[in-house]
Amino acid sequence: MSRRRMDGRSGASAGLLCDIQTPISTEPMESVYELTGELGRGKFAVVKRCVDKATGKVFAAKFIRKRRRGRDCRAEVTHEMAVLEMSRSNARVVNLVAAYETDHDIILVLEYAAGGEIFDHCVSDELLPETQITRLIRQTLEGVHQLHQNNLVHLDLKPQNILLTSLSPLGDIKIVDFGLARKLGSVGELREILGTPEYVAPEILNYEPITTATDLWSVGVIAYMLVTGESPFAGDDKQETFLNVSQVSVDYSRDAFSRVSELAVDFIRKLLVKAPEDRPSAAECLSHPWLWQLCLSPDSVAIIRERISGSKWGAPSEDPEDKENFLESPHVKRFRFEETAPAEFC
């Protein structure tokens, strides 16, 4: 849940939404909900588990400070509420249930995702099989696609902000934490320096215009982490991480991808490209055969390959020499984070 806003130039009010429909109650939330434990903590927010006293239903209560570093941040909190309201029809986004206000916090009562973060599966000794990974990536892209159709960009997509509705069996995904989300097209070009270093796209670091393609870079990072258990860009410090991102220094060696399918590598390498215009959209991503190969017959996969051969995706390289050069190319070392029946998943 933690989020780091990077130092740099920022248009803080650009792309923020103001109007909200959810009433913010000043009554004590404890009169309706019982707090039963902490779920996560960030620099300016704490998420606690809570239970509706009348129904027994479980929710997540996000306590967000109204003042940060001496600055009134109420507008940023109501912006997050407005984004959640705009996304109510999006099944892949966590649902906003109610809101409360105290002297120090605004509390968002949110849908509870009992399965925790998919980050836990990125750093586990037992990585998920590709069948389950492709289902999670498909669902993430469905959510991102619907956000983008509303001209919303999340700008902090990472495994810590993608939750699961259940752990066993592995549930569906819910995208959370829209504190950095922005509305595109409202005030011309959007340029901001924000996000979490390991997941930000090169255009963020270069203070270039933000587009929907910025989120797709993050999806590529998430896919890399799920299939390898490693971060593609995390360095020994923040500056090394930024350098790795700027140079798109990604390890695609045989060691990193020894148990990963060729189509998975193709999917990731098409997203982790420096030029935003060269990345496929969320809708185009959803046509990639990697996301469907374990659900379809070999003949169906071949048909999909043929259909996308002329698109931005192109076709996975079939030239043995080219594949060898790609897999064996030298890149920076990988760094592991220290933070804290397959067919049915199709």
Side-chain angles (χ1 to χ4, degrees), residues 136-138 140-141 144-145 148 157-158 162 175 199 212-226 267-268 271-272 282 285 290-291 313:
L136 298 181
I137 294 296
R138 280 204 312 270
T140 300
L141 287 166
V144 169
H145 174 56
H148 291 177
L157 288 171
K158 55 186 178 182
I162 300 175
I175 302 172
Y199 306 95
T212 54
T214 303
D215 279 343
L216 274 303
W217 170 278
S218 301
V219 173
V221 177
I222 293 167
Y224 187 107
M225 291 183 63
L226 282 170
F267 178 88
I268 293 165
L271 286 176
L272 298 183
C285 285
W290 178 53
L291 300 182
W313 276 117

Side-chain angles (χ1 to χ4, degrees), residues 1 28 115 128 130 147 159 188 295 316 334 345:
M1 188 195 72
L128 294 172
E130 277 194 37
L147 289 173
C295 304
R334 290 170 291 131
F345 288 96

Side-chain angles (χ1 to χ4, degrees), residues 185-200:
S186 54
V187 287
E189 287 186 345
L190 177 66
R191 299 170 192 258
E192 288 198 70
I193 303 293
L194 42 69
T196 305
E198 292 90 346
Y199 306 95
V200 294

Side-chain angles (χ1 to χ4, degrees), residues 174-333:
K174 293 287 181 177
I175 302 172
V176 301
D177 204 344
F178 288 81
L180 298 186
R182 295 293 183 266
K183 176 85 169 175
L184 295 178
S186 54
V187 287
E189 287 186 345
L190 177 66
R191 299 170 192 258
E192 288 198 70
I193 303 293
L194 42 69
T196 305
E198 292 90 346
Y199 306 95
V200 294
E203 59 268 24
I204 293 279
L205 300 181
N206 294 332
Y207 199 62
E208 294 170 351
I210 292 169
T211 67
T212 54
T214 303
D215 279 343
L216 274 303
W217 170 278
S218 301
V219 173
V221 177
I222 293 167
Y224 187 107
M225 291 183 63
L226 282 170
V227 299
T228 68
E230 307 286 345
S231 165
F233 299 112
D236 287 332
D237 54 42
K238 191 189 299 185
Q239 293 310 311
E240 185 176 346
T241 298
F242 292 158
L243 182 62
N244 291 340
V245 171
S246 296
Q247 296 180 343
V248 194
S249 298
V250 185
D251 180 5
Y252 292 112
S253 66
R254 289 192 189 280
D255 178 56
F257 284 83
S258 60
R259 293 179 295 173
V260 181
S261 71
E262 174 196 341
L263 286 174
V265 178
D266 183 75
F267 178 88
I268 293 165
R269 67 187 291 231
K270 294 288 176 55
L271 286 176
L272 298 183
V273 294
K274 189 163 189 175
E277 63 272 17
D278 290 338
R279 295 173 213 145
S281 67
E284 288 172 320
C285 285
L286 283 165
S287 73
H288 193 278
W290 178 53
L291 300 182
W292 305 100
Q293 65 170 330
L294 300 176
C295 304
L296 303 173
S297 67
D299 288 344
S300 298
V301 173
I303 291 171
I304 294 175
R305 281 175 179 261
E306 185 177 347
R307 285 179 179 173
I308 69 168
S309 62
S311 72
K312 185 176 289 186
W313 276 117
S317 173
E318 297 295 339
D319 184 283
E321 184 176 352
D322 180 70
K323 180 180 177 184
E324 187 77 9
N325 291 339
F326 164 63
L327 290 174
E328 294 296 341
S329 60
H331 291 279
V332 296
K333 62 178 286 191

